[in-house]
Amino acid sequence: MSVFAFFSGGAPQAATPAEPRIRMPESRARVCAIALVLAIGTALASCQTMVRPAVLAAPPLPPPAPLILAPPPPPPPPARMDQPNFYRLRNTAAGVIPARVALLLPLSSPSAETRGVAEALERAAELAVFDSKATDILLMPRDDGGTPEKAAAAAAKAINDGAEIIIGPLFAQSVTAVAPIARARNIPVIALSSDRSVGGNGVYLLSFQPETEVNRIVSYAARTGHNNFAALVPRTAYGNKASLAFRDSVMRAGGRVATVQSFDEKAELVGIPARNAAQSGADSILIGEGGAMLQAIAPALAIGGAATRGVKLLGTGLWDDPAVAQEPLLAEGWFAAPPPASFRAFSDHYRMVFSAPPPRIATLGYDAVSLIALLSRGQPFERYTDAVLTDPNGFSGVDGIFRFRSDGSAERGLAILEVSPNGFAVVDPAPKTFPQPGF
């Protein structure tokens, strides 16, 4: 029987002859029929009870996950107001809230050279206050001893004395120690370290940074026809930064890196790295070194054949030293640095006031205070905000134009200088303005 036949009541049957039947009495037949119907009903009811699906209880719901409340964000630092204990001069007029500027420098460093640099930075800062003619600038020099611990203590004391902004420290580790103390009180820091990694989140680096200098000199060399670059860098933190910036700058300029040679800072160990760079096929070699080591590298490159092949020597701001002009083997080399005319004018001014020549870094102290004086006309305790300090138009100082990026690094408008026996000649002037976003 087919499935269709089963569910439709059975297949049709062929007709057959009628069979003889036994007749029952009518009442008995009715009783039998009723009994048959009752039996069939009972059977059907029994079948329905057996096949009815069991009603299963719903599984218990899992317990609700515990509610975890995130801690509320810390409240912003309270707005500062002038306090009676804040440092002030006796001749400060009543009602005037001076711009208190902490100057953290290693004035008591064990190193005589470091102490000399710190003294020059302090003098340059004082000179900037005088030149600005701002009567509401209160300079607060503090000795940070050249150590992170003393720098942190000096910063905390300066802030308790009412400092609105901090200039310094000079060394990267001290900047790292000062940063969280200043940040907790919403005090910006204009640091003088060249280590870009310690900048950001309220710390701005006014220093000369190798990344900016390397990018400027490589991009200029590429624009003037050089496309095969080599580099000689020391095995130091500065050399590591210069090396990374070199590779990145060459890639952006569409050039090729022939080789990067590292050396230990000993004059007798530069010969092999210099020869490898000279014989790499590069048409230009970046030397990320200055001072006595640069004087040793120049003849090593010449011995390696760089001079006879007409390889262009490139440098960073470490070349910005009058002694470099006295090395004939560096003649016609290029390096990136601030415009020299402005520094000469600053140097003459400094020498006239203090009867001594300033170190090259002294301009940082002067430019930092000049910037603070320019912004001091704002509302007390609100004049040195992040938005003000990161103005995309930038600022102008002795070392040319500069502006702070959001990561705390400084973008500078640098010139390209060429080494000559008579000093340094500008072959590509520093820009006067920064390009605006989108251009």
Side-chain angles (χ1 to χ4, degrees):
M1 180 184 297
S2 70
V3 173
F4 176 81
F6 178 83
F7 282 101
S8 61
Q13 300 292 322
T16 56
E19 295 181 359
R21 298 181 181 180
I22 301 175
R23 295 182 59 85
M24 294 182 180
E26 183 178 353
S27 60
R28 183 180 177 185
R30 185 179 298 113
V31 170
C32 290
I34 293 172
L36 180 61
V37 170
L38 292 174
I40 292 173
T42 303
L44 288 175
S46 175
C47 290
Q48 289 174 0
T49 302
M50 292 175 61
V51 301
R52 180 180 298 134
V55 178
L56 300 178
L61 295 175
L67 185 60
I68 300 176
L69 298 177
R80 300 186 78 198
M81 298 179 62
D82 204 43
Q83 302 294 332
N85 64 295
F86 282 178
Y87 189 74
R88 60 195 302 119
L89 298 178
R90 292 186 179 183
N91 60 351
T92 302
V96 173
I97 301 178
R100 300 176 179 90
V101 183
L103 182 61
L104 305 186
L105 296 171
L107 298 168
S108 64
S109 169
S111 166
E113 181 181 3
T114 300
R115 291 197 305 272
V117 169
E119 182 182 11
L121 286 166
E122 182 181 6
R123 287 178 170 181
E126 293 169 351
L127 190 59
V129 173
F130 177 81
D131 289 346
S132 71
K133 297 181 173 57
T135 59
D136 55 351
I137 297 291
L138 181 51
L139 200 61
M140 299 161 49
R142 296 288 189 271
D143 178 22
D144 68 22
T147 68
E149 296 78 13
K150 291 183 179 179
K157 179 64 168 61
I159 293 172
N160 289 335
D161 288 342
E164 280 192 61
I165 190 167
I166 295 173
I167 298 175
L170 182 60
F171 300 124
Q173 289 182 332
S174 295
V175 175
T176 301
V178 165
I181 297 171
R183 193 174 298 127
R185 300 291 294 275
N186 205 26
I187 305 296
V189 176
I190 299 181
L192 306 180
S193 167
S194 61
D195 187 346
R196 186 177 289 191
S197 67
V198 301
N201 201 5
V203 176
Y204 303 95
L205 305 176
L206 187 59
S207 54
F208 305 112
Q209 293 152 36
E211 295 89 346
T212 303
E213 298 165 353
V214 169
N215 181 64
R216 174 73 166 106
I217 189 62
V218 168
S219 61
Y220 176 75
R223 290 203 313 268
T224 55
H226 298 273
N227 56 24
N228 200 1
F229 295 84
L232 271 168
V233 295
R235 290 190 179 96
T236 62
Y238 180 93
N240 292 338
K241 296 178 187 301
S243 175
L244 291 174
F246 170 76
R247 294 181 183 276
D248 185 57
S249 299
V250 171
M251 181 184 67
R252 287 203 307 268
R256 172 181 175 271
V257 175
T259 186
V260 176
Q261 295 288 316
S262 301
F263 57 86
D264 294 316
E265 290 191 296
K266 295 182 179 179
E268 64 272 18
L269 299 179
V270 301
I272 294 177
R275 183 185 64 199
N276 291 340
Q279 297 178 1
S280 66
D283 57 32
S284 54
I285 299 175
L286 174 76
I287 308 173
E289 188 59 278
M293 285 301 301
L294 180 59
Q295 304 296 326
I297 291 171
L301 285 171
I303 293 172
T308 57
R309 292 182 49 246
V311 175
K312 176 65 71 174
L313 301 184
L314 310 176
T316 67
L318 297 179
W319 286 31
D320 196 3
D321 179 351
V324 171
Q326 307 306 314
E327 175 53 68
L329 295 175
L330 296 174
E332 299 184 358
W334 293 335
F335 66 97
S342 297
F343 177 72
R344 286 195 294 267
F346 167 79
S347 181
D348 292 343
H349 184 33
Y350 183 100
R351 187 193 304 266
M352 182 179 66
V353 174
F354 299 109
S355 302
R360 185 63 186 84
I361 195 176
T363 54
L364 298 183
Y366 188 93
D367 281 355
V369 173
S370 297
L371 170 61
I372 289 170
L374 174 68
L375 303 177
S376 65
R377 304 181 186 92
Q379 182 71 20
F381 304 109
E382 297 179 7
R383 43 194 157 196
Y384 305 117
T385 63
D386 291 339
V388 171
L389 291 172
T390 56
D391 185 340
N393 294 310
F395 310 96
S396 181
V398 172
D399 292 318
I401 60 173
F402 65 93
R403 63 181 174 185
F404 293 121
R405 299 187 180 97
S406 58
D407 65 358
S409 63
E411 181 180 359
R412 287 186 173 275
L414 301 174
I416 299 297
L417 309 182
E418 184 176 79
V419 179
S420 72
N422 298 322
F424 305 135
V426 177
V427 295
D428 192 46
K432 299 296 183 183
T433 60
F434 287 109
Q436 294 302 306
F439 290 88

Coordinates of all heavy atoms in Angstrom, one line a residue, residues 149-221:
E149 N 65.9 63.0 41.5 CA 65.4 63.2 42.8 C 65.4 64.7 43.2 O 64.3 65.2 43.6 CB 66.2 62.4 43.8 CG 66.1 60.9 43.6 CD 67.0 60.4 42.5 OE1 67.9 61.2 42.1 OE2 66.9 59.2 42.1
K150 N 66.5 65.3 42.9 CA 66.5 66.8 43.3 C 65.7 67.6 42.3 O 65.1 68.6 42.7 CB 68.0 67.2 43.2 CG 68.8 66.7 44.3 CD 70.3 67.2 44.3 CE 71.1 66.7 45.4 NZ 72.5 67.2 45.4
A151 N 65.6 67.2 41.1 CA 64.7 67.9 40.1 C 63.2 67.8 40.6 O 62.5 68.8 40.5 CB 64.9 67.3 38.7
A152 N 62.8 66.6 41.0 CA 61.4 66.4 41.4 C 61.1 67.3 42.7 O 60.1 67.9 42.7 CB 61.2 65.0 41.8
A153 N 62.1 67.3 43.6 CA 61.9 68.1 44.8 C 61.8 69.6 44.5 O 61.0 70.4 45.0 CB 63.0 67.8 45.8
A154 N 62.7 70.0 43.5 CA 62.7 71.5 43.1 C 61.4 71.8 42.4 O 60.9 73.0 42.6 CB 63.9 71.7 42.2
A155 N 60.9 71.0 41.6 CA 59.7 71.2 40.9 C 58.5 71.4 41.9 O 57.7 72.3 41.8 CB 59.4 70.2 39.9
A156 N 58.4 70.5 42.8 CA 57.3 70.5 43.8 C 57.4 71.8 44.6 O 56.4 72.4 44.9 CB 57.4 69.3 44.7
K157 N 58.6 72.2 45.1 CA 58.7 73.4 45.8 C 58.4 74.6 45.0 O 57.7 75.6 45.5 CB 60.2 73.5 46.3 CG 60.5 74.8 47.1 CD 59.7 74.8 48.4 CE 60.2 75.9 49.4 NZ 60.1 77.3 48.8
A158 N 58.8 74.7 43.7 CA 58.4 75.8 42.9 C 56.9 75.9 42.6 O 56.4 77.0 42.6 CB 59.2 75.7 41.5
I159 N 56.3 74.8 42.5 CA 54.8 74.8 42.3 C 54.1 75.3 43.5 O 53.2 76.1 43.5 CB 54.3 73.4 41.9 CG1 54.8 73.1 40.5 CG2 52.8 73.4 41.9 CD1 54.5 71.7 40.0
N160 N 54.6 74.9 44.7 CA 54.0 75.4 45.9 C 54.3 76.8 46.2 O 53.5 77.5 46.9 CB 54.6 74.6 47.1 CG 54.1 73.1 47.2 OD1 53.0 72.9 46.7 ND2 54.8 72.2 47.8
D161 N 55.3 77.4 45.5 CA 55.6 78.8 45.6 C 54.8 79.6 44.5 O 55.0 80.8 44.4 CB 57.1 79.0 45.4 CG 57.9 78.6 46.6 OD1 57.3 78.5 47.7 OD2 59.2 78.4 46.5
G162 N 54.0 78.9 43.7 CA 53.1 79.6 42.8 C 53.5 79.6 41.4 O 52.9 80.3 40.5
A163 N 54.5 78.7 41.0 CA 54.9 78.7 39.6 C 53.8 78.3 38.7 O 53.0 77.4 38.9 CB 56.1 77.7 39.4
E164 N 53.6 79.1 37.6 CA 52.6 78.8 36.6 C 53.1 77.9 35.5 O 52.4 77.3 34.8 CB 52.1 80.1 36.0 CG 51.0 80.9 36.7 CD 50.4 82.0 35.9 OE1 49.8 81.7 34.9 OE2 50.6 83.1 36.3
I165 N 54.4 78.0 35.3 CA 55.1 77.2 34.2 C 56.5 76.9 34.6 O 57.1 77.7 35.4 CB 55.0 78.0 32.9 CG1 55.4 77.2 31.7 CG2 55.8 79.3 32.9 CD1 55.1 77.8 30.3
I166 N 57.1 75.9 34.1 CA 58.4 75.4 34.4 C 59.3 75.4 33.1 O 58.8 74.9 32.1 CB 58.4 74.0 35.0 CG1 57.7 74.1 36.4 CG2 59.8 73.5 35.2 CD1 57.5 72.7 37.0
I167 N 60.5 76.0 33.2 CA 61.5 75.9 32.2 C 62.5 74.9 32.7 O 63.0 75.1 33.8 CB 62.1 77.2 31.8 CG1 61.1 78.2 31.3 CG2 63.2 77.1 30.8 CD1 61.6 79.6 31.0
G168 N 62.9 73.9 31.9 CA 63.8 72.9 32.3 C 63.0 71.6 32.7 O 61.8 71.6 32.6
P169 N 63.7 70.6 33.2 CA 65.1 70.5 33.4 C 65.9 70.3 32.1 O 65.3 70.3 31.0 CB 65.3 69.2 34.3 CG 63.9 69.0 34.9 CD 63.0 69.6 33.9
L170 N 67.2 70.1 32.2 CA 68.1 69.9 31.1 C 68.2 68.5 30.7 O 68.4 68.2 29.5 CB 69.5 70.5 31.4 CG 70.6 70.5 30.4 CD1 70.1 71.4 29.2 CD2 71.9 71.1 30.9
F171 N 68.2 67.6 31.6 CA 68.5 66.1 31.3 C 67.2 65.3 31.2 O 66.2 65.6 32.0 CB 69.4 65.5 32.3 CG 70.8 66.2 32.4 CD1 71.2 66.8 33.6 CD2 71.5 66.4 31.3 CE1 72.4 67.4 33.7 CE2 72.8 67.0 31.3 CZ 73.2 67.5 32.5
A172 N 67.2 64.3 30.4 CA 65.9 63.6 30.1 C 65.4 62.9 31.4 O 64.2 62.9 31.6 CB 66.2 62.5 29.0
Q173 N 66.3 62.3 32.2 CA 65.8 61.6 33.4 C 65.2 62.5 34.4 O 64.2 62.2 35.0 CB 67.0 60.8 34.0 CG 67.4 59.6 33.2 CD 68.6 58.9 33.9 OE1 69.3 59.5 34.7 NE2 68.7 57.6 33.7
S174 N 65.7 63.7 34.4 CA 65.1 64.7 35.3 C 63.8 65.2 34.8 O 62.8 65.5 35.6 CB 66.1 65.9 35.5 OG 67.2 65.5 36.2
V175 N 63.6 65.3 33.5 CA 62.3 65.7 32.9 C 61.3 64.7 33.2 O 60.2 65.0 33.6 CB 62.5 65.9 31.4 CG1 61.1 66.2 30.8 CG2 63.4 67.0 31.0
T176 N 61.7 63.4 33.1 CA 60.7 62.3 33.4 C 60.3 62.3 34.9 O 59.1 62.1 35.2 CB 61.4 60.9 33.2 OG1 61.8 60.9 31.8 CG2 60.5 59.8 33.5
A177 N 61.2 62.7 35.8 CA 60.8 62.8 37.2 C 59.9 64.0 37.5 O 59.0 63.9 38.4 CB 62.1 62.9 38.1
V178 N 60.1 65.1 36.8 CA 59.3 66.3 37.0 C 57.9 66.2 36.4 O 57.0 66.8 37.0 CB 60.1 67.5 36.5 CG1 59.2 68.8 36.4 CG2 61.3 67.8 37.4
A179 N 57.8 65.6 35.3 CA 56.6 65.6 34.5 C 55.3 65.2 35.3 O 54.3 65.9 35.3 CB 56.7 64.7 33.3
P180 N 55.3 64.1 36.0 CA 54.0 63.8 36.8 C 53.7 64.7 37.9 O 52.5 65.0 38.2 CB 54.3 62.4 37.3 CG 55.8 62.2 37.3 CD 56.3 63.0 36.2
I181 N 54.7 65.3 38.5 CA 54.4 66.3 39.5 C 53.8 67.6 38.9 O 52.8 68.1 39.5 CB 55.8 66.7 40.3 CG1 56.3 65.4 40.9 CG2 55.5 67.8 41.2 CD1 57.7 65.6 41.5
A182 N 54.3 68.0 37.8 CA 53.7 69.2 37.2 C 52.4 68.9 36.6 O 51.4 69.7 36.6 CB 54.7 69.7 36.1
R183 N 52.2 67.7 36.0 CA 51.0 67.3 35.4 C 49.8 67.2 36.4 O 48.7 67.6 36.1 CB 51.1 65.9 34.7 CG 50.0 65.6 33.7 CD 50.4 64.3 33.0 NE 51.6 64.4 32.2 CZ 52.7 63.7 32.3 NH1 52.7 62.6 33.2 NH2 53.7 63.9 31.6
A184 N 50.1 66.8 37.6 CA 49.1 66.7 38.6 C 48.5 68.0 39.0 O 47.4 68.1 39.5 CB 49.7 66.0 39.9
R185 N 49.3 69.1 38.8 CA 48.9 70.4 39.2 C 48.6 71.3 37.9 O 48.4 72.5 38.0 CB 49.9 71.1 40.0 CG 50.3 70.4 41.3 CD 49.2 70.5 42.3 NE 48.9 71.8 42.8 CZ 49.6 72.4 43.8 NH1 50.6 71.7 44.4 NH2 49.3 73.6 44.1
N186 N 48.6 70.6 36.8 CA 48.2 71.2 35.5 C 49.2 72.4 35.2 O 48.9 73.4 34.7 CB 46.8 71.8 35.5 CG 46.2 71.9 34.1 OD1 46.6 71.2 33.2 ND2 45.3 72.8 34.0
I187 N 50.5 72.1 35.4 CA 51.6 73.1 35.2 C 52.3 72.6 33.9 O 52.9 71.5 33.9 CB 52.5 73.2 36.4 CG1 51.8 73.5 37.7 CG2 53.6 74.2 36.1 CD1 51.1 74.8 37.6
P188 N 52.4 73.4 32.9 CA 53.2 73.0 31.7 C 54.7 73.1 31.9 O 55.1 73.9 32.8 CB 52.7 74.0 30.6 CG 52.2 75.2 31.4 CD 51.7 74.7 32.7
V189 N 55.4 72.3 31.2 CA 56.9 72.2 31.3 C 57.5 72.5 30.0 O 57.1 71.7 29.0 CB 57.3 70.8 31.9 CG1 58.9 70.8 31.9 CG2 56.7 70.6 33.3
I190 N 58.3 73.4 29.9 CA 59.1 73.6 28.6 C 60.5 73.1 28.9 O 61.4 73.8 29.5 CB 59.2 75.1 28.2 CG1 57.8 75.6 27.9 CG2 60.1 75.3 27.0 CD1 57.7 77.1 27.5
A191 N 60.8 71.9 28.6 CA 62.0 71.2 28.9 C 63.1 71.5 27.9 O 62.8 71.9 26.7 CB 61.8 69.7 29.0
L192 N 64.3 71.2 28.3 CA 65.5 71.6 27.4 C 66.2 70.3 26.9 O 67.3 70.4 26.3 CB 66.5 72.5 28.2 CG 65.8 73.8 28.7 CD1 66.9 74.6 29.5 CD2 65.2 74.6 27.6
S193 N 65.7 69.1 27.2 CA 66.3 67.9 26.8 C 66.0 67.7 25.3 O 65.0 68.1 24.8 CB 65.7 66.7 27.6 OG 66.0 65.5 27.0
S194 N 66.9 67.0 24.6 CA 66.8 66.7 23.2 C 66.2 65.3 23.0 O 66.0 64.9 21.8 CB 68.1 66.8 22.5 OG 69.0 65.9 23.0
D195 N 65.8 64.6 24.0 CA 65.3 63.3 23.9 C 63.7 63.4 23.7 O 63.0 63.7 24.7 CB 65.6 62.5 25.2 CG 65.1 61.0 25.1 OD1 64.4 60.7 24.2 OD2 65.6 60.2 25.9
R196 N 63.3 63.1 22.5 CA 61.9 63.3 22.2 C 61.0 62.4 22.9 O 59.8 62.7 23.1 CB 61.7 63.1 20.7 CG 60.3 63.4 20.2 CD 60.2 63.2 18.7 NE 60.9 64.3 17.9 CZ 60.7 64.5 16.6 NH1 59.9 63.7 15.9 NH2 61.4 65.4 16.0
S197 N 61.5 61.3 23.4 CA 60.6 60.3 24.1 C 60.1 60.9 25.5 O 59.1 60.3 26.0 CB 61.4 59.0 24.4 OG 62.5 59.2 25.3
V198 N 60.7 61.9 26.0 CA 60.2 62.4 27.3 C 59.2 63.5 27.1 O 58.7 64.1 28.1 CB 61.4 62.9 28.2 CG1 62.3 61.8 28.5 CG2 62.1 64.1 27.6
G199 N 58.9 63.9 25.9 CA 57.9 65.0 25.6 C 56.5 64.5 25.6 O 56.2 63.3 25.6
G200 N 55.6 65.4 25.6 CA 54.1 65.1 25.5 C 53.4 65.1 26.8 O 54.0 65.1 27.9
N201 N 52.1 65.3 26.7 CA 51.2 65.3 27.9 C 51.6 66.4 28.8 O 51.8 66.2 30.0 CB 51.2 63.9 28.6 CG 50.0 63.7 29.5 OD1 49.1 64.6 29.5 ND2 50.0 62.6 30.2
G202 N 51.8 67.6 28.2 CA 52.1 68.8 29.1 C 53.6 69.1 29.1 O 53.9 70.1 29.7
V203 N 54.4 68.3 28.5 CA 55.9 68.6 28.5 C 56.3 68.9 27.0 O 56.0 68.1 26.1 CB 56.7 67.3 28.9 CG1 58.2 67.6 28.8 CG2 56.4 67.0 30.4
Y204 N 56.8 70.1 26.8 CA 57.2 70.6 25.5 C 58.7 70.7 25.4 O 59.3 71.3 26.4 CB 56.5 71.9 25.2 CG 55.0 71.8 25.3 CD1 54.3 72.1 26.5 CD2 54.3 71.3 24.2 CE1 53.0 72.0 26.6 CE2 52.9 71.2 24.3 CZ 52.3 71.5 25.5 OH 50.9 71.4 25.6
L205 N 59.3 70.2 24.3 CA 60.8 70.2 24.2 C 61.2 71.3 23.3 O 61.0 71.3 22.1 CB 61.2 68.9 23.7 CG 60.8 67.6 24.5 CD1 61.2 66.4 23.8 CD2 61.3 67.7 25.9
L206 N 61.9 72.3 23.8 CA 62.4 73.5 23.0 C 63.7 73.2 22.4 O 64.2 74.0 21.6 CB 62.4 74.7 23.9 CG 62.7 76.1 23.2 CD1 61.7 76.4 22.2 CD2 62.8 77.2 24.3
S207 N 64.3 72.1 22.8 CA 65.7 71.8 22.4 C 65.9 71.5 20.9 O 64.9 71.4 20.1 CB 66.1 70.5 23.2 OG 65.2 69.5 22.9
F208 N 67.1 71.4 20.5 CA 67.4 71.0 19.1 C 67.4 69.5 19.1 O 68.2 68.8 19.7 CB 68.8 71.5 18.7 CG 69.0 73.0 18.9 CD1 69.9 73.5 19.8 CD2 68.3 73.9 18.1 CE1 70.0 74.9 20.0 CE2 68.4 75.3 18.2 CZ 69.3 75.8 19.2
Q209 N 66.5 69.0 18.2 CA 66.3 67.5 18.2 C 66.8 66.9 16.9 O 66.6 67.5 15.8 CB 64.8 67.2 18.4 CG 64.2 67.6 19.7 CD 62.8 68.0 19.7 OE1 62.0 67.4 19.0 NE2 62.4 68.9 20.6
P210 N 67.6 65.8 17.0 CA 68.2 65.3 15.8 C 67.3 64.9 14.7 O 67.6 65.0 13.6 CB 69.0 64.0 16.4 CG 68.4 63.7 17.7 CD 67.9 65.0 18.2
E211 N 66.1 64.4 15.1 CA 65.1 64.0 14.1 C 64.8 65.2 13.1 O 64.7 65.0 11.9 CB 63.8 63.5 14.8 CG 64.0 62.3 15.6 CD 64.3 62.5 17.0 OE1 64.7 63.6 17.4 OE2 64.2 61.6 17.8
T212 N 64.6 66.4 13.7 CA 64.3 67.5 12.9 C 65.4 67.9 11.9 O 65.2 68.2 10.8 CB 63.9 68.7 13.8 OG1 62.8 68.4 14.6 CG2 63.5 69.9 12.9
E213 N 66.6 67.9 12.5 CA 67.8 68.3 11.7 C 68.1 67.2 10.6 O 68.4 67.6 9.5 CB 69.0 68.4 12.7 CG 68.8 69.5 13.7 CD 69.8 69.4 14.8 OE1 70.6 68.4 14.9 OE2 69.8 70.3 15.7
V214 N 68.0 66.0 10.9 CA 68.2 64.9 9.9 C 67.2 65.0 8.8 O 67.6 64.9 7.6 CB 68.2 63.5 10.6 CG1 68.2 62.4 9.5 CG2 69.4 63.4 11.5
N215 N 66.0 65.2 9.1 CA 65.0 65.3 8.1 C 65.2 66.5 7.2 O 65.1 66.4 5.9 CB 63.6 65.4 8.7 CG 62.5 65.5 7.7 OD1 62.2 64.5 6.9 ND2 61.8 66.6 7.6
R216 N 65.6 67.6 7.7 CA 65.8 68.8 6.9 C 67.0 68.6 6.0 O 66.9 68.9 4.8 CB 66.1 70.0 7.9 CG 66.5 71.3 7.2 CD 65.3 71.9 6.4 NE 65.6 73.3 6.1 CZ 65.8 73.7 4.8 NH1 65.8 72.9 3.8 NH2 66.1 75.0 4.6
I217 N 68.1 68.1 6.4 CA 69.3 67.9 5.6 C 69.1 66.9 4.5 O 69.5 67.0 3.3 CB 70.6 67.7 6.4 CG1 71.8 67.8 5.5 CG2 70.5 66.3 7.1 CD1 72.0 69.1 4.9
V218 N 68.4 65.7 4.9 CA 68.2 64.7 3.9 C 67.2 65.1 2.8 O 67.5 64.9 1.6 CB 67.7 63.4 4.6 CG1 67.2 62.4 3.5 CG2 68.8 62.8 5.4
S219 N 66.2 65.8 3.2 CA 65.2 66.3 2.2 C 65.8 67.3 1.3 O 65.5 67.3 0.0 CB 64.0 66.8 2.9 OG 64.3 68.0 3.7
Y220 N 66.7 68.2 1.8 CA 67.3 69.2 0.9 C 68.3 68.5 -0.1 O 68.3 68.8 -1.3 CB 68.1 70.2 1.7 CG 68.9 71.2 0.9 CD1 68.2 72.2 0.2 CD2 70.2 71.1 0.7 CE1 68.9 73.1 -0.6 CE2 70.9 72.0 -0.1 CZ 70.3 73.0 -0.7 OH 71.0 73.8 -1.6
A221 N 69.1 67.5 0.4 CA 70.0 66.8 -0.4 C 69.3 66.0 -1.5 O 69.7 66.0 -2.7 CB 70.9 65.8 0.4

